[in-house]
Amino acid sequence: MTPIRHNGSAGSDNDAVLDAVRDCVLAVGVRRTTLTDVARRAGVSRMTLYRRWPDVRSLVGDLMTREWIAVATGAMPGRRPDVSARELLTQGLVDAVRDFVAHPLFQKILDVDPELLLPYVLDRRGASQEALLELLAGVLREGHADGSVRTAHVERQARAVLLVVQSFTLSLRTMTDEDDPELSAEAFLAELRSVLERTLTP
């Protein structure tokens, strides 16, 4: 849900730094994480970090982009000739919401630093949202081709689906009552599946 920043450094080096900032954020939250802490955990100098990222928030932005895209792409089932694109997409989106809600970094940010997510809900799309829209559009086109998805303007359809899924991801815990099985997280995920099926079925 955040913009990708192109830092011009090797991916493995970036991953080591992003792993370090993830550990810091999980331990103390974003506001208490410093570049010094990240540099120490990553085994690099502060100046190395400053050359790539101006501040902790830009580091966290890249971290969220990496983590959110990995969750979404990891939840999508592999293509199968006996399963329609709509079924694959619906299953993948429901699984993605479940995985997001359980993701330790996502939980930590919602608990401690939820304001980090607000710009990407209220003001602008970020790089992970753009990547998810591209993924959605590709599967929707497959669904148009195999007849399993209602034909519509593909970019509008992808954005509408993302609006639904994003709402469930961000607000699911505000609506659940785990003492009532009819209002549990899994019950709402079943409802999400129904919403998506009804939206996408021709």
Side-chain angles (χ1 to χ4, degrees), residues 162-193:
L162 184 56
L163 281 172
V164 172
V165 172
Q166 189 169 273
S167 174
F168 269 79
T169 302
L170 292 171
S171 301
L172 180 61
R173 67 180 185 175
T174 70
M175 296 295 165
T176 57
D177 181 351
E178 294 302 335
D179 293 331
D180 183 343
E182 294 299 324
L183 297 175
S184 67
E186 285 301 318
F188 276 102
L189 290 175
E191 195 69 27
L192 172 61
R193 183 189 301 275

Side-chain angles (χ1 to χ4, degrees), residues 7-188:
N7 298 302
S9 54
S12 59
D13 292 340
N14 276 358
D15 282 340
V17 173
L18 295 180
D19 288 346
V21 75
R22 180 194 59 205
D23 292 344
C24 289
V25 170
L26 289 176
V28 299
V30 174
R31 278 170 290 187
R32 294 177 60 190
T33 293
T34 68
L35 286 176
T36 300
D37 296 331
V38 175
R40 184 182 302 114
R41 283 182 182 263
V44 300
S45 70
R46 281 186 300 171
M47 288 310 300
T48 297
L49 293 187
Y50 279 123
R51 283 195 294 268
R52 303 178 188 178
W53 295 276
D55 51 35
V56 169
R57 280 183 176 255
S58 63
L59 260 173
V60 172
D62 279 359
L63 172 64
M64 289 194 294
T65 295
R66 184 188 73 170
E67 298 293 311
W68 303 165
I69 291 174
V71 169
T73 56
M76 292 302 296
R79 301 291 189 267
R80 290 170 47 192
D82 59 326
V83 180
S84 71
R86 186 188 74 245
E87 292 174 279
L88 289 174
L89 182 58
T90 299
Q91 182 64 53
L93 290 173
V94 170
D95 288 345
V97 172
R98 181 185 291 109
D99 293 345
F100 264 110
V101 171
H103 194 287
L105 181 66
F106 186 73
Q107 290 181 338
K108 186 72 172 185
I109 289 172
L110 281 184
D111 288 340
V112 180
D113 301 289
E115 69 278 2
L116 289 175
L117 302 176
L118 285 178
Y120 313 107
V121 176
L122 301 177
D123 296 327
R124 62 187 182 275
R125 296 191 303 276
S128 57
Q129 287 165 312
E130 294 290 0
L132 295 177
L133 288 172
E134 184 177 347
L135 174 66
L136 287 172
V139 183
L140 289 169
R141 288 190 184 95
E142 293 180 17
H144 295 168
D146 71 15
S148 65
V149 172
R150 173 178 55 85
T151 302
H153 184 281
V154 71
E155 291 182 7
R156 185 181 67 239
Q157 197 172 35
R159 293 181 187 190
V161 168
L162 184 56
L163 281 172
V164 172
V165 172
Q166 189 169 273
S167 174
F168 269 79
T169 302
L170 292 171
S171 301
L172 180 61
R173 67 180 185 175
T174 70
M175 296 295 165
T176 57
D177 181 351
E178 294 302 335
D179 293 331
D180 183 343
E182 294 299 324
L183 297 175
S184 67
E186 285 301 318
F188 276 102

